Amino acid sequence: MASTPPTEEAFLREVDDELRRDQLQKMVRHYGRIALVALLLLLVAFAGFLYWRQASEKKAEAQGEQMSALIADVQASRKTEAAKKIDTLVAEGGDGYRIAALLTKATLAADRGDTKSAIGIYAGIAADEKAAQPYRDVSLIRQTLLEYDGLTPQQVIDRLKPLAVEGNAFFGTAGEMTAVAMIQANRGAEAGRLLAAVARDKTVPDTLRTRAARLATSLGVNVDVAPAAAPADKD
């Protein structure tokens, strides 16, 4: 029987070091506030559209202004003022603004190290059938990032299965996390194919595609060769 290639151990260590540390920790701790502001800007536009369809123009405008003020408080690190606005939007806002405020609350909790609270909020949004699907999906991603070290590989795979498919807006992140879990579950061939698909997907950010390509190659998958199409059924 052939011996295990000496590069496999180094590869697995690289996966742990690069993906689990850089993606799971830096994303939350180092880039948390920057990511929050960018996320909030997108959420404001989306929440405004949702609420515009449900409520009077005047009330929607007032809540939009409150959300903008919340973003300003977060950027200026005015924690007390931000917390008050969050509570108001959660209690009185339409579905869009309520969920946006909850996402803000969860991200701020994670940023200050209160992982338990952040996980609880993200889990609640992910399970909220009244929340728009993009909110639920991003919450599931962030919940899983925070819980990753406490989950079994199969739990990660099962949880992210609906998102780790080509065409999904979160395919890149969900696919990469799923692939790492597959490697930990000794399913390297599946992980390689999934990473190659992420690397080929031009809607995925370039840095993620580059990392996925390198890891797929380490697993013996040629990213430059597309998988063969399944043969057509004959009548």
Side-chain angles (χ1 to χ4, degrees):
M1 180 181 294
S3 60
T4 301
T7 57
E8 182 175 349
E9 181 179 352
F11 165 70
L12 292 176
R13 184 168 56 250
E14 179 183 0
V15 169
D16 283 340
D17 289 346
E18 185 170 346
L19 297 184
R20 295 178 66 190
R21 183 189 63 213
D22 291 350
Q23 185 181 8
L24 309 184
Q25 295 179 6
K26 284 186 179 181
M27 178 179 176
V28 175
R29 296 178 184 172
H30 186 61
Y31 297 109
R33 185 163 286 113
I34 297 174
L36 169 66
V37 173
L39 175 64
L40 285 177
L41 291 174
L42 293 174
L43 290 177
V44 168
F46 186 55
F49 171 71
L50 290 176
Y51 195 74
W52 171 79
R53 296 191 307 179
Q54 304 173 34
S56 67
E57 183 177 345
K58 184 176 181 180
K59 189 173 183 180
E61 182 179 352
Q63 292 191 0
E65 290 175 355
Q66 193 166 26
M67 192 71 196
S68 296
L70 169 58
I71 294 174
D73 285 341
V74 171
Q75 290 176 312
S77 297
R78 294 190 290 264
K79 298 179 181 179
T80 301
E81 292 83 350
K84 290 179 180 178
K85 292 180 177 66
I86 287 172
D87 290 341
T88 298
L89 285 168
V90 169
E92 302 175 3
D95 286 342
Y97 285 119
R98 176 178 63 84
I99 298 299
L102 284 171
L103 281 169
T104 306
K105 186 174 184 178
T107 305
L108 290 175
D111 194 43
R112 66 173 181 268
D114 188 359
T115 304
K116 184 177 180 179
S117 294
I119 289 172
I121 296 170
Y122 286 134
I125 297 172
D128 189 347
E129 295 183 355
K130 293 183 179 180
Q133 196 61 47
Y135 287 154
R136 298 178 67 182
D137 289 348
V138 75
S139 295
L140 186 64
I141 288 286
R142 294 178 74 83
Q143 176 194 352
T144 306
L145 281 168
L146 292 175
E147 288 185 316
Y148 195 95
D149 287 336
L151 299 173
T152 66
Q154 193 59 49
Q155 284 177 313
V156 174
I157 294 167
D158 291 343
R159 181 184 289 185
L160 297 180
K161 186 176 181 180
L163 307 183
V165 293
E166 294 182 70
N168 186 278
F170 299 97
F171 173 55
T173 301
E176 184 177 49
M177 292 170 65
T178 298
V180 173
M182 286 176 171
I183 293 168
Q184 294 170 333
N186 297 317
R187 293 163 57 179
E190 293 176 74
R193 290 193 294 270
L194 182 55
L195 288 165
V198 171
R200 295 187 190 106
D201 192 333
K202 296 185 178 178
T203 67
V204 172
D206 288 343
T207 53
L208 201 162
R209 292 179 62 203
T210 299
R211 184 166 64 239
R214 181 158 52 88
L215 297 179
T217 300
S218 297
L219 286 170
V221 178
N222 188 343
V223 176
D224 295 328
V225 177
D233 294 334
K234 295 183 179 179
D235 294 333

